[in-house]
Amino acid sequence: MVSLWEHWRRGMGRGAGGQSFDSMGPFSGHAVELTKRHSEVSLTKQGADTGGMRVNLSWRMRSSDVGGGRTRPRGSLRHPLRSLKPEVVQAHTQGVVNVDLDLACLYEMKDGSKGVVQPLGGFFGDLSSPPYVKLSGDDRFGSPSGETVYVNLDNKEEISRLLFFVYIYDGTPAFDRTHAVLTLYPSSGPRIQVSLDERAPQARSCAVLLLQNEKDELTVRREVRYVYGFQSELDRLYGWGLQWGRGYKTHKV
């Protein structure tokens, strides 16, 4: 079966000039880590403001924080202190982690239209028409591949800003234990990473990365702003002005 990304590259993702969109993906040689001190990078200046871009959310948890995690033997002659450290395991089954992290994106177009791309409510977006943002699916259990949003930057002139955020739909708030990483794969140059490594144990949502198109320059900026509510609170924080209602997921996958 051909993946969404491959299908888009081969057919729907071809621009007027016949160029297929591509992404550096996992083959990028190195990563740029956005931090508080170095919080912004220009996609335009590195020649990565066209073509296909993907944004991936992945996370892992420490086995000491959840039930069902693997345990290590308590003794070690060569490393006697190692048994005191919690083991880091991939969160990939519901038995390992009782938290449902969702990746989503608030968008604002140049014509003033606004909305959200998210699993909740089935707003999965579109790549060939506004908002030119598409969510690949809803990963409920934190598989190693995580969740991915694709962005068609060949239509960047229609995009004003995109706010990529993460929220905990179900389970106990656990941003202090999930060790989540948001990775942006532009069409060229290094991948860009933002770690959600600040301690906010009661937060349920986090604005992670803001993409802005101003003065013909496309930039991405680290946000990492935790809130204790959901989308409506992020909306107020960034002045989106949308109307929100309570939503539910109807089934598990």
Side-chain angles (χ1 to χ4, degrees):
M1 178 177 294
V2 179
S3 68
L4 168 68
W5 185 246
E6 286 297 324
H7 176 68
W8 183 43
R9 287 181 56 199
R10 296 178 188 179
M12 294 176 62
R14 294 187 178 274
Q19 297 292 327
S20 63
F21 304 147
D22 205 349
S23 169
M24 292 297 289
F27 304 105
S28 179
H30 62 284
V32 172
E33 177 80 18
L34 294 184
T35 63
K36 288 182 178 180
R37 174 173 290 186
H38 304 288
S39 62
E40 185 171 308
V41 64
S42 171
L43 295 180
T44 300
K45 290 180 179 178
Q46 70 178 40
D49 60 350
T50 59
M53 181 182 75
R54 63 187 176 97
V55 181
N56 176 260
L57 168 71
S58 61
W59 71 91
R60 61 184 181 178
M61 296 189 73
R62 294 186 184 277
S63 60
S64 61
D65 291 331
V66 294
R70 297 174 299 179
T71 58
R72 67 166 78 245
R74 281 294 179 180
S76 175
L77 294 177
R78 295 183 61 187
H79 303 284
L81 298 180
R82 180 178 295 174
S83 62
L84 301 178
K85 296 182 179 181
E87 183 178 6
V88 175
V89 298
Q90 286 289 340
H92 60 278
T93 68
Q94 193 173 22
V96 172
V97 55
N98 183 30
V99 63
D100 184 4
L101 288 184
D102 280 340
L103 173 63
C105 176
L106 280 165
Y107 64 83
E108 181 178 359
M109 312 304 289
K110 289 290 188 179
D111 64 5
S113 59
K114 304 174 183 179
V116 66
V117 173
Q118 64 178 20
L120 194 61
F123 298 108
F124 288 96
D126 196 295
L127 281 175
S128 57
S129 61
Y132 306 109
V133 178
K134 178 78 173 180
L135 180 66
S136 64
D138 181 15
D139 168 32
R140 301 292 177 88
F141 309 129
S143 65
S145 60
E147 292 188 0
T148 300
V149 167
Y150 300 103
V151 182
N152 179 356
L153 291 182
D154 277 354
N155 297 91
K156 66 177 182 295
E157 69 279 355
E158 297 183 46
I159 300 172
S160 178
R161 57 176 178 160
L162 303 175
L163 178 66
F164 298 97
F165 65 96
V166 178
Y167 62 94
I168 298 175
Y169 170 75
D170 197 9
T172 303
F175 274 119
D176 60 329
R177 303 197 307 271
T178 51
H179 305 279
V181 176
L182 195 72
T183 306
L184 185 150
Y185 298 90
S187 58
S188 63
R191 64 188 183 274
I192 300 166
Q193 291 185 333
V194 179
S195 298
L196 279 64
D197 52 7
E198 297 179 15
R199 294 294 177 255
Q202 299 303 314
R204 286 193 171 272
S205 304
C206 181
V208 184
L209 192 68
L210 181 65
L211 180 148
Q212 296 184 96
N213 186 5
E214 296 180 338
K215 298 180 180 179
D216 297 323
E217 183 176 11
L218 208 63
T219 60
V220 290
R221 187 180 71 213
R222 176 190 184 273
E223 297 293 315
V224 189
R225 300 177 72 177
Y226 294 93
V227 300
Y228 298 98
F230 293 96
Q231 291 90 330
S232 60
E233 192 167 343
L234 288 173
D235 184 310
R236 288 192 295 270
L237 188 63
Y238 287 89
W240 235 266
L242 299 176
Q243 297 295 320
W244 298 92
R246 183 64 177 172
Y248 300 91
K249 295 184 181 180
T250 58
H251 64 281
K252 297 288 184 178
V253 292

